[in-house]
């Protein structure tokens, strides 16, 4: 799919968790089978918006993430459409076996809305910054993994998740991100979206790194390199065709994510290119390390997750072409 | 500290501050000059978000300069948002993901027993934290292995993030539950030093089972506008509010 855009200066910033809270409440109005669960973080994950509108369909499970996930499984088994929320680090790590055995194995219709993913959690530090959640969720059979890039895409992803019958992992952030897409943006599960066309290098990005990739493409253009920017918001099922086609066309690739370079988008791109379109690839992401306390912007800089890092990586990938 | 950091958890830090002061200044056998002394007593802050109170106690006890408290939550600081045993001298366990500290304390106690040492392990849990299933797995294990070198404190302030524990997901009645899990239980006012010290003495004398000291506390203790307010769980005071808070706590001084 193609949806060509330019990064607007001063685009309105919206946290994807805020868009999630609103979209979930909207969905609740339309579908009485939608229920929401949380684990004592409803003000942070924004399920409180749903809870306020539909108190009888909202269940706070307390600080008990394992119980949260398996209860959601039970609700789904009896016909409800549960959205279970907590921080990404606890949703995927603390409750991994419940997600695996009670949700994915029986392919139950549970949606996991995981907020505070990645480094942009900020000051809470490494214990709270999930840098491995995409890898954990991506490896599970039957799981769909969505990493929306802005508020608009988040709203669309919430709707798409509800429309799909099966487990979905929605990765959401704490910090505001620039709005990239207009309401006419046609999000479809499983389709990577080309946001900018180019012939020299492909930039595959997800989440907060999509805006950075667009910024990087502008900078690369100023230096005479035409970058193609692809928003890989569905990590699974992975759109191998779009990714491989783009890489074959440009002959060089960069992946960029707010996650470990192991097992997430970088891992998925490497798997895809290795099988279908072997070209030089440079992965931008956390280099096998945990995060730490700091402001979101400081951390993105300190851990090499900025437009400048993508620019540097793109040049490196281009240089390695044909070697 | 949280004002300087512009984020953090003042409420649960203040409810635990008296217990931490008692532990680090009256109870525990520690030597700040040798944080890795093998025979020291250990303390595990299972409710890791109370880190500011732990850091303050460690600094005042001499593990690192009090001035350093101002670096809380800053990039590259030794004082992370949640306790990090690899970064901060005196911190015995990396916590922050609730419900895991008692298990780690049990592990330490088992090791101490294997080595035939007499050091003790103290651990502090939140009441909301007791909603985690792992807390009860650990409670069971400590009683099963008769870990009488483990003394736990429950910071029973009645609040968690989304509101009163009774409303969100009641873990009550907590003293009865710990008793049912085979623990010796002492109930005290967690802001009364004499009661804290007495309870610890009782724990030391209790053989064959671990002791849980259920400390009734006030979240935000000592700061009028924070006391018993769930909203002060995880937000930092403004500079003006911090000044008022310090005045009310009867303390001036840099960085606190
Ligand atoms: C496993 C896990 N789930 C959720 C959180 C987020 N969280 C941090 S503090 C807190 C509430 C803790 O309540 P309580 O244990 O009563 O602590 P206190 O009132 O003493 O601050 C929650 C849910 C966490 N840190 N770890
Ligand atoms: Mg509490």
């Amino acid at each position: 799919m193609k949806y060509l855009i330019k990064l607007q200066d001063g685009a309105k910033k919206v946290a994807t968790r805020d868009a999630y809270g609103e979209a979930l409440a909207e969905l609740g109005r339309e579908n009485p089978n939608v229920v929401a669960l949380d684990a004592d973080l409803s003000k942070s994950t924004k399920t409180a918006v749903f809870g306020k509108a539909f108190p009888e369909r909202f269940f706070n499970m307390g600080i008990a993430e394992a119980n949260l996930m398996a209860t959601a499984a039970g609700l789904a088994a009896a016909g409800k459409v549960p959205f279970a929320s907590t921080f990404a680090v606890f949703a995927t790590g603390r409750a991994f076996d419940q997600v695996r055995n009670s949700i994915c194995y029986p392919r139950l219709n549970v949606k996991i809305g995981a907020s505070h993913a990645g480094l942009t959690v900020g000051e809470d530090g490494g214990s709270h910054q999930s840098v491995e959640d995409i890898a954990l969720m991506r490896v599970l059979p039957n799981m769909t993994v969505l990493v929306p890039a802005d508020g608009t895409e988040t709203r669309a992803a919430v709707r798409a998740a509800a429309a799909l019958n099966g487990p979905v992992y929605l990765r959401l952030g704490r910090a505001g991100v620039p709005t990239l897409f207009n309401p006419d943006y046609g999000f479809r599960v499983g389709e990577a979206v080309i946001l900018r066309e180019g012939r020299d290098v492909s930039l595959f990005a997800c989440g907060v790194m999509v805006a950075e990739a667009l910024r990087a493409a502008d900078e690369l253009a100023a230096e005479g390199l035409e970058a193609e920017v692809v928003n890989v918001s569905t990590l699974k099922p992975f759109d191998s065709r779009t990714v491989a086609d783009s890489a074959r066309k440009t002959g060089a690739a960069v992946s960029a994510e707010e996650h470990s370079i192991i097992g997430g988008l970088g891992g998925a791109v490497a798997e895809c290119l290795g099988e279908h379109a072997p070209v030089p690839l440079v992965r931008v992401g956390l280099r096998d390390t945990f995060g730490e306390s700091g402001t979101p912007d400081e951390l993105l800089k300190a851990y090499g997750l900025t437009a400048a890092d993508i620019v540097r990586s793109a040049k490196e990938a281009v240089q390695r072409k044909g070697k | 500290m949280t004002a300087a950091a512009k984020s953090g958890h003042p409420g649960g830090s203040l409810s635990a501050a008296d217990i931490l002061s008692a532990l680090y200044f009256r109870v525990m056998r520690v030597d700040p000059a040798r944080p890795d002394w093998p025979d020291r007593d250990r303390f595990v802050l299972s409710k890791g978000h109370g880190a500011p109170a732990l850091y303050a106690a460690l600094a005042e006890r001499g593990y690192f300069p009090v001035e350093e408290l101002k670096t809380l939550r800053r990039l590259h600081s030794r004082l992370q948002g949640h306790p990090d045993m690899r970064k901060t001298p005196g911190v015995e366990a990396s916590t922050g993901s609730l419900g895991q500290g008692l298990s780690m304390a049990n592990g330490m106690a088992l090791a101490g027993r294997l080595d035939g040492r007499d050091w003790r392990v103290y651990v502090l849990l939140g009441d909301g934290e007791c909603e985690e299933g792992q807390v009860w797995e650990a409670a069971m294990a400590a009683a099963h292995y008769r870990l009488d070198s483990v003394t736990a404190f429950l910071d029973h302030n009645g609040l968690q993030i989304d509101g009163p524990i009774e409303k969100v997901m009641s873990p009550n009645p907590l003293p009865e539950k710990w008793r049912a899990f085979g623990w010796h239980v002492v109930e005290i006012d967690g802001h009364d030093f004499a009661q804290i010290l007495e309870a610890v003495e009782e724990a030391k004398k209790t053989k064959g089972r671990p002791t849980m000291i259920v400390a009734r506390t006030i979240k935000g203790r000592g700061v009028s506008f924070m006391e018993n307010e769930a909203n002060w769980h995880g937000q930092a005071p403004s500079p003006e509010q911090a000044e008022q808070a310090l005045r009310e706590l009867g303390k001036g001084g840099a960085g606190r």
Side-chain angles (χ1 to χ4, degrees):
Chain A
M1 191 165 54
K2 233 182 264 178
Y3 185 90
L4 303 184
I5 57 170
K6 270 209 96 65
L7 190 62
Q8 305 294 336
D9 278 340
K12 194 173 159 226
K13 281 197 169 184
V14 177
T16 52
R17 61 174 167 145
D18 282 313
Y20 169 69
E22 282 162 31
L24 186 58
E26 224 171 82
L27 204 63
R29 271 187 282 282
E30 295 163 22
N31 183 349
N33 275 327
V34 169
V35 300
L37 303 89
D38 208 291
D40 196 30
L41 287 169
S42 67
K43 287 182 236 167
S44 301
T45 64
K46 303 298 173 187
T47 59
V49 183
F50 182 99
K52 204 159 169 227
F54 309 103
E56 73 293 346
R57 281 192 264 150
F58 173 72
F59 304 99
N60 200 326
M61 305 310 294
I63 312 169
E65 295 77 14
N67 191 40
L68 166 82
M69 291 304 171
T71 305
L75 281 157
K80 299 298 173 193
V81 185
F83 279 73
S85 283
T86 177
F87 289 176
V89 82
F90 308 130
T92 62
R94 190 55 162 272
F96 183 77
D97 187 49
Q98 285 72 20
V99 174
R100 182 195 189 275
N101 278 313
S102 294
I103 296 175
C104 286
Y105 182 49
R107 198 168 14 86
L108 284 167
N109 198 20
V110 174
K111 321 300 171 189
I112 300 170
S115 75
H116 293 60
L119 283 181
T120 49
V121 166
E123 292 83 350
D124 268 355
S127 61
H128 284 55
Q129 296 160 352
S130 67
V131 296
E132 69 289 338
D133 56 308
I134 298 178
L136 288 171
M137 294 297 102
R138 201 170 72 84
V139 78
L140 289 173
N142 293 334
M143 185 62 107
T144 293
V145 180
L146 306 178
V147 185
D150 77 344
T152 312
E153 191 168 43
T154 301
R155 286 164 186 284
V158 169
R159 295 200 157 269
L164 184 158
N165 187 9
V168 177
Y169 179 72
L170 250 174
R171 187 186 213 231
L172 308 162
R174 167 177 184 248
V177 289
T179 300
L180 303 173
F181 307 118
N182 294 321
D184 70 340
Y185 175 68
F187 172 83
R188 277 204 292 269
V189 172
E191 284 191 28
V193 185
I194 298 169
L195 304 182
R196 173 181 179 133
E197 293 179 299
R199 57 185 149 71
D200 296 323
V201 59
S202 302
L203 309 180
F204 301 111
C206 65
V208 302
M209 297 307 288
V210 174
E212 294 301 309
L214 287 165
R215 207 165 282 141
D218 282 340
E219 287 173 30
L220 287 164
E223 299 185 40
L225 279 177
E226 291 303 325
E228 179 147 296
V229 178
V230 184
N231 173 25
V232 190
S233 45
T234 305
L235 271 286
K236 195 182 170 183
F238 194 73
D239 188 352
S240 291
R241 172 173 303 211
T242 301
V243 169
D245 282 352
S246 174
R248 243 180 254 116
K249 178 176 86 176
T250 63
V254 173
S255 63
E257 67 200 303
E258 190 193 3
H259 185 274
S260 169
I261 55 169
I262 302 171
L265 175 64
V269 169
E271 290 160 16
C272 168
L273 299 188
E275 273 187 345
H276 304 295
V279 303
L281 164 69
V282 180
R283 292 170 297 165
V284 172
L286 279 104
R287 311 200 71 82
D288 198 16
T289 173
F290 289 108
E292 63 181 300
S293 292
T295 67
D297 284 341
E298 280 171 352
L299 289 167
L300 292 175
K301 209 172 268 162
Y303 287 80
L305 303 184
T306 66
D309 297 294
I310 298 176
V311 167
R312 195 169 346 100
S313 304
K315 288 182 190 161
E316 188 189 326
V318 169
Q319 214 163 44
R320 290 202 333 235
K321 273 190 204 185
K323 274 189 193 156
Chain B
M1 280 167 80
T2 55
K6 297 198 184 75
S7 70
H9 300 83
S13 297
L14 289 168
S15 68
D18 291 331
I19 295 167
L20 283 162
S21 311
L23 283 175
Y24 277 96
F25 288 90
R26 287 287 179 278
V27 174
M28 284 176 27
R29 184 173 77 193
V30 292
D31 179 0
R34 287 183 296 159
D36 52 1
W37 174 37
D39 277 331
R40 71 195 183 277
D41 288 344
R42 271 74 167 170
F43 173 73
V44 175
L45 183 66
S46 189
K47 43 166 274 188
H49 59 281
L54 174 59
Y55 297 156
L58 291 172
E60 296 286 356
R61 191 69 175 78
Y63 283 89
F64 49 83
V66 170
E67 270 298 296
E68 198 171 332
L69 293 174
K70 275 192 240 166
T71 69
L72 174 71
R73 293 178 158 249
R74 298 249 175 90
L75 189 66
H76 304 328
S77 168
R78 293 201 287 182
L79 308 181
Q80 292 291 296
H82 293 80
D84 184 332
M85 64 185 284
R86 296 288 172 219
K87 291 208 165 95
T88 316
V91 168
E92 300 283 359
S94 294
T95 51
S97 180
L98 291 168
Q100 309 198 22
L102 182 56
S103 303
M104 289 190 260
N106 288 345
M108 294 174 187
L110 285 169
R113 183 155 78 194
L114 283 174
D115 291 346
R117 317 306 300 184
D118 69 346
W119 46 266
R120 302 183 60 79
V121 190
Y122 296 90
V123 53
L124 178 70
L125 292 96
D127 47 8
E129 183 180 11
C130 289
E131 292 156 9
E132 283 286 0
Q134 187 183 342
V135 169
W136 303 101
E137 297 173 21
M140 181 165 59
H144 179 80
Y145 285 109
R146 304 179 187 286
L147 296 178
D148 52 19
S149 63
V150 170
T151 301
F153 281 87
L154 180 66
D155 188 349
H156 202 355
N157 56 31
L159 294 175
Q160 55 191 108
I161 295 186
D162 280 345
I165 56 173
E166 279 284 349
K167 281 208 177 139
V168 177
M169 174 57 63
S170 178
N172 290 335
L174 284 163
E176 283 83 343
K177 285 202 172 99
W178 287 93
R179 245 175 239 124
F181 272 76
W183 286 56
H184 177 59
V185 174
V186 191
E187 294 180 60
I188 64 162
D189 170 352
H191 301 303
D192 180 327
F193 280 99
Q195 289 188 35
I196 297 171
L197 298 177
E198 214 173 297
V200 169
E201 279 317 305
E202 190 175 321
K204 283 186 184 165
K205 282 192 216 116
T206 303
K207 300 294 168 204
R209 56 194 169 143
T211 295
M212 165 55 82
I213 300 170
V214 176
R216 305 272 167 188
T217 54
I218 294 170
K219 203 156 173 169
R221 163 78 174 184
V223 179
S224 56
F225 57 92
M226 288 186 183
E227 286 196 354
N228 291 316
E229 283 290 336
N231 285 337
W232 282 103
H233 172 86
Q235 65 163 317
S238 67
E240 299 73 42
Q241 289 169 325
E243 203 167 299
Q244 184 188 340
L246 291 174
R247 222 173 21 244
E248 291 183 17
L249 290 164
K251 279 222 167 171
R256 269 171 271 168

